[in-house]
Amino acid sequence: MASSRSKSHRMDRRQIAVHAADEKQNIAVLGASGYTGAEVMRLLSLHPDFKVTALTGESKAGQKFSSVFPHLASATDDQTLVKIADVDWSSIDAAFCCLPHATTQEVLASLPMNVKVVDLSADFRLKDVNTYAEWYGGEHKAPELQKEVVYGLTELAREEVKKARVVANPGCYPTCVQLGLVPLVEKGLIATEDIIIDAKSGISGAGRSAKQNLLYCEAAEGVNAYGVGKHRHMPEIEQGLSMASGKDVKISFTPHLMPMSRGMETASYVRMSEGTGVEELRTALEERYRSEPFVHVLKPGVAPYTHHVRGTNFCHINVFEDRISGRAIVLSVIDNLVKGASGQAIQNMNLLFGVPESTGILQQALYP
């Protein structure tokens, strides 16, 4: 009898495994030859519900994925990169779009309506197509599609993401900044007229293309500000803070390129509302993120450190009293390639398919 039950149990487990394999969603990764595409592949390699069946790379078409990213040789069955035009969409359930900015709109507008999409470019993040044209220097090429896109900063738009077909994955800086500030703005705890943000990112945030300022001798052992007063993430941050406050918000924002491969820190200098103290800011953040798997408010006095989130989908936040009366400093850190891009994209894709949100992205930090 025991042997019979054991045999039956083994058969049941095999049947369950086959059933689970049959239910995997077929995924296309568009732009798999860039950093965010590679990071999607790294994270999906252990995902139980998603199976990558198509990889594109326009400039690398015809090459094996393992030759483009040797460190991911065992992440797939070593598929060959193809051009987007050669993808057979008949069996594709969803796509991660990791294409460069200003190249995504027409591509997504041409996809079959049954394909769910998480777009990692900036092409659909700004709700106002005129604002997009102003900041990205060209007319929006899919204004009708823009109307249905959901901006997917997961912790702040979870229910909207669940109902979406196309999700605009937030930028790295906007993710880091908004997670720290939106709960405070929503509760009216800080003034929206006087927000100053000092931001720092690893070099991978600039992409994989060859650029002089990214050469080792140019970037190593030094720090430089870029996009001063005109960085394209400014309107995205302002859009989120304006929605949280119910009125237009303008910020002062300066990003810096750091001589490290990955990681991001934002320091937001804010003026507290009359009668508000730092502990109230801390309480608001703790209450908002108490049940969140990826956003952690650190203990008082502990400064977030990029090494502690390296390679993970976590965001660490803390708030400090400024020496200037009535002001506070909100610090946030993320990995720009994970929570700032590919990890959050998988977090959103999990929601699109009703998969537990943290599936495949609970890796702990790579340290030291």
Side-chain angles (χ1 to χ4, degrees), residues 326-343:
R327 298 191 66 87
I329 305 166
V330 181
L331 299 179
S332 303
V333 296
I334 61 172
D335 185 313
N336 58 292
L337 289 178
V338 188
K339 184 57 176 171
S342 305

Side-chain angles (χ1 to χ4, degrees), residues 54-97:
L55 293 171
T56 80
E58 300 301 291
S59 64
K60 304 287 187 182
Q63 297 184 35
K64 290 287 188 180
F65 182 71
S66 63
S67 70
V68 178
F69 289 110
H71 71 293
L72 294 174
S74 61
T76 73
D77 52 3
D78 206 12
Q79 298 174 44
T80 299
L81 293 165
V82 301
K83 291 183 178 293
I84 294 173
D86 296 326
V87 175
D88 178 6
W89 292 98
S90 63
S91 62
I92 300 294
D93 299 301
F96 290 96
C97 191

Side-chain angles (χ1 to χ4, degrees), residues 38-271:
E39 198 72 350
V40 166
M41 291 299 297
R42 179 180 74 88
L43 297 169
L44 286 183
S45 64
L46 296 177
H47 200 293
D49 298 290
F50 298 152
K51 178 182 179 182
V52 177
T53 57
L55 293 171
T56 80
E58 300 301 291
S59 64
K60 304 287 187 182
Q63 297 184 35
K64 290 287 188 180
F65 182 71
S66 63
S67 70
V68 178
F69 289 110
H71 71 293
L72 294 174
S74 61
T76 73
D77 52 3
D78 206 12
Q79 298 174 44
T80 299
L81 293 165
V82 301
K83 291 183 178 293
I84 294 173
D86 296 326
V87 175
D88 178 6
W89 292 98
S90 63
S91 62
I92 300 294
D93 299 301
F96 290 96
C97 191
C98 307
L99 300 174
H101 307 319
T103 65
T104 299
Q105 291 156 2
E106 291 178 308
V107 171
L108 296 195
S110 70
L111 297 185
M113 291 295 291
N114 63 298
V115 175
K116 297 182 179 183
V117 179
V118 177
D119 177 32
L120 283 76
S121 82
D123 283 12
F124 291 94
R125 294 174 188 161
L126 300 178
K127 298 179 183 296
D128 187 335
V129 295
N130 294 321
T131 303
Y132 172 85
E134 175 187 349
W135 284 86
Y136 286 87
E139 183 180 358
H140 199 292
K141 297 177 182 178
E144 290 304 310
L145 179 57
Q146 179 66 66
K147 295 176 182 178
E148 72 166 274
V149 173
V150 169
Y151 182 77
L153 211 173
T154 321
E155 286 77 13
L156 306 181
R158 183 172 283 111
E159 296 308 312
E160 292 86 347
V161 169
K162 289 178 180 179
K163 303 171 187 175
R165 182 180 74 86
V166 180
V167 174
N169 212 58
C172 47
Y173 287 125
T175 293
C176 203
V177 171
Q178 290 181 89
L179 286 174
L181 294 188
V182 165
L184 310 182
V185 171
E186 286 179 335
K187 288 183 172 293
L189 297 176
I190 60 174
T192 57
E193 301 81 17
D194 189 16
I195 298 175
I196 301 169
I197 302 164
D198 177 85
K200 301 172 180 67
S201 175
I203 295 173
S204 58
R208 203 185 187 201
S209 59
K211 300 174 185 176
Q212 180 176 317
N213 69 310
L214 304 182
L215 295 173
Y216 178 82
C217 289
E218 304 285 338
E221 302 178 31
V223 178
N224 69 282
Y226 67 103
V228 180
K230 57 182 180 181
H231 194 279
R232 289 171 170 176
H233 283 178
M234 291 173 71
E236 186 181 339
I237 296 170
E238 291 173 347
Q239 174 180 266
L241 297 182
S242 296
M243 290 179 62
S245 69
K247 60 183 179 182
D248 287 343
V249 175
K250 298 294 182 185
I251 61 170
S252 178
F253 173 80
T254 303
H256 301 78
L257 201 62
M258 303 296 290
M260 58 187 187
S261 60
R262 60 168 77 206
M264 175 167 287
E265 180 201 57
T266 59
S268 299
Y269 300 89
V270 300
R271 178 163 51 86

